Amino acid sequence: MSENRLAYLFQCYFDRTASEQEKDELMELLRQAGNDEQVKHLMAETWHRLEVDQPIFSPEHSKNMLLKILQDGLQQEGPEVAGTERVPQIAVVPSPIVRRGWFRFPGIGLSRGG
């Protein structure tokens, strides 16, 4: 498979113009270890071209995702802390959309972005 075909399919998928057949073909190519380096390169290129001014999710979709994350976090029990009830494990990680923002994800370690 040519590198051009993988790049084409990747771009179509990212642009949300890929047909079901193209999506299936891309997923098969992504499973092949021989394409790992090109996939990493395509992802890095795409990330650098991404315009952060553009909304990725609608406000309603963003709200629903946050509520789901918070609900899932409350359902997971965290570590025992002396003198407190069990608390959910929630990590704070940098938002990929707002470069200096924060998102919370349940069940993963704590990290700070910049």
Side-chain angles (χ1 to χ4, degrees):
M1 181 70 40
S2 84
E3 290 183 7
N4 290 338
R5 181 66 177 167
L6 179 56
Y8 167 79
L9 293 169
F10 187 89
Q11 190 61 48
C12 286
Y13 185 83
F14 183 77
D15 293 339
R16 296 184 177 135
T17 60
S19 68
E20 286 303 314
Q21 182 180 359
E22 288 172 327
K23 289 177 189 177
D24 291 343
E25 184 181 352
L26 175 62
M27 294 305 132
E28 182 58 37
L29 291 172
L30 293 176
R31 284 187 203 79
Q32 298 174 9
N35 293 325
D36 287 354
E37 287 305 312
Q38 185 184 6
V39 170
K40 288 177 188 176
H41 176 75
L42 289 168
M43 291 176 74
E45 263 185 6
T46 302
W47 176 254
H48 292 299
R49 286 184 305 176
L50 184 65
E51 295 290 328
V52 292
D53 308 1
Q54 301 171 359
I56 295 176
F57 302 110
S58 70
E60 185 67 22
H61 192 157
S62 298
K63 178 182 172 185
N64 290 337
M65 284 190 300
L66 178 59
L67 289 173
K68 174 78 171 128
I69 290 167
L70 294 175
Q71 288 171 354
D72 288 351
L74 292 175
Q75 292 173 3
Q76 296 179 8
E77 291 186 1
E80 285 287 340
V81 178
T84 66
E85 297 177 17
R86 291 184 68 84
V87 295
Q89 292 177 316
I90 296 183
V92 180
V93 295
S95 161
I97 300 166
V98 181
R99 292 188 186 251
R100 290 188 179 84
W102 297 86
F103 271 124
R104 295 171 183 260
F105 293 96
I108 57 177
L110 182 67
S111 65
R112 181 175 184 273

